[in-house]
Amino acid sequence: NAGVTQTPKFQVLKTGQSMTLQCAQDMNHEYMSWYRQDPGMGLRLIHYSVGAGITDQGEVPNGYNVSRSTTEDFPLRLLSAAPSQTSVYFCASSSMGGAQETQYFGPGTRLLVL
Amino acid sequence: GESVGLHLPTLSVQEGDNSIINCAYSNSASDYFIWYKQESGKGPQFIIDIRSNMDKRQGQRVTVLLNKTVKHLSLQIAATQPGDSAVYFCAGASGYSTLTFGKGTMLLVSP
């Protein structure tokens, strides 16, 4: 199994541009989530999904959209990038226990918005 | 809402010492806690978890202690090695949906 994969590894955007961060898992996990990590801070939950077709907001959802059309994929969309969205983004997944089970994290996407 | 925080931002130890990393949480409804290790440039990796019906859980060289009375948990690493150098995060959940992370403690292990 590849586990949780994320693409791209690095991205530079200009203010106002849009992009999609990809996340995929091959463990047949129901629960998937997106976090952002800023210097000196822990991970903050952006959006999460408890299964295909179901998504919900986390702590910091503004400026981000998600969808979950399949169990495997959970893309994160930035509609109009802002410098405040410069961060490292992590995708994670877990099985039926959701947040009450081990989250498996991807390697992260480093995003710089100029 | 729940907040989970750490007492010390940086902990420096000598190789072979035992390390203790502390974490406080505010939501008394939290019933699941987990420790992650994050090495530079990588995603967090699971270390150990504990549910609120337990006070202690042991893994390989690691022990997590949970004190629900004072809403505190700790991670103990025995015989700390240079490879243990990383940032350690505690996180807690009070339901199925969301996990709340603390800010992290940097552990530096000197040979």
Side-chain angles (χ1 to χ4, degrees):
Chain A
N1 289 350
V4 180
T5 57
Q6 292 184 237
T7 56
K9 287 187 169 56
F10 304 96
Q11 184 70 47
V12 180
L13 291 178
K14 295 180 180 178
T15 297
Q17 286 185 313
S18 63
M19 80 159 294
T20 299
L21 281 65
Q22 301 292 344
C23 174
Q25 51 88 12
D26 60 359
M27 297 174 282
N28 201 32
H29 283 170
E30 291 296 321
Y31 182 91
M32 296 185 74
S33 54
W34 276 101
Y35 294 87
R36 61 177 288 173
Q37 184 176 34
D38 299 301
M41 298 186 70
L43 284 77
R44 292 184 292 169
L45 183 65
I46 304 172
H47 285 284
Y48 65 95
S49 169
V50 300
I54 306 170
T55 64
D56 207 343
Q57 296 180 349
E59 179 187 357
V60 288
N62 292 343
Y64 307 96
N65 277 355
V66 292
S67 59
R68 185 94 180 271
S69 57
T70 67
T71 298
E72 294 79 19
D73 301 297
F74 190 42
L76 178 72
R77 280 182 285 276
L78 283 70
L79 302 177
S80 179
S84 61
Q85 293 179 303
T86 293
S87 190
V88 181
Y89 292 84
F90 289 100
C91 178
S93 73
S94 68
S95 60
M96 292 186 300
Q100 298 249 350
E101 278 196 21
T102 303
Q103 304 281 307
Y104 294 89
F105 283 84
T109 293
R110 281 163 174 72
L111 176 66
L112 173 62
V113 183
L114 302 174
Chain B
E2 173 179 358
S3 68
V4 181
L6 295 174
H7 295 309
L8 298 173
T10 305
L11 178 64
S12 297
V13 300
Q14 295 283 343
E15 181 178 2
D17 287 352
N18 295 335
S19 302
I20 300 176
I21 302 172
N22 296 302
C23 180
Y25 62 96
S26 60
N27 186 353
S28 56
S30 297
D31 54 4
Y32 174 77
F33 302 90
I34 189 166
W35 283 97
Y36 283 95
K37 173 185 180 183
Q38 187 178 28
E39 296 173 282
S40 181
K42 297 184 178 180
Q45 292 177 284
F46 169 82
I47 301 173
I48 192 168
D49 60 0
I50 188 168
R51 299 196 183 274
S52 60
N53 59 353
M54 301 173 69
D55 296 323
K56 179 180 179 179
R57 192 167 188 214
Q58 290 183 292
Q60 188 177 10
R61 283 202 304 118
V62 294
T63 300
V64 55
L65 298 177
L66 176 62
N67 185 331
K68 296 179 285 294
T69 302
V70 295
K71 292 186 280 191
H72 180 271
L73 69 158
S74 65
L75 176 70
Q76 300 178 359
I77 305 174
T80 314
Q81 303 167 359
D84 295 327
S85 293
V87 177
Y88 290 80
F89 293 97
C90 66
S94 59
Y96 175 87
S97 301
T98 60
L99 194 62
T100 301
F101 280 79
K103 290 185 170 53
T105 291
M106 169 76 77
L107 177 64
L108 300 174
V109 183
S110 308

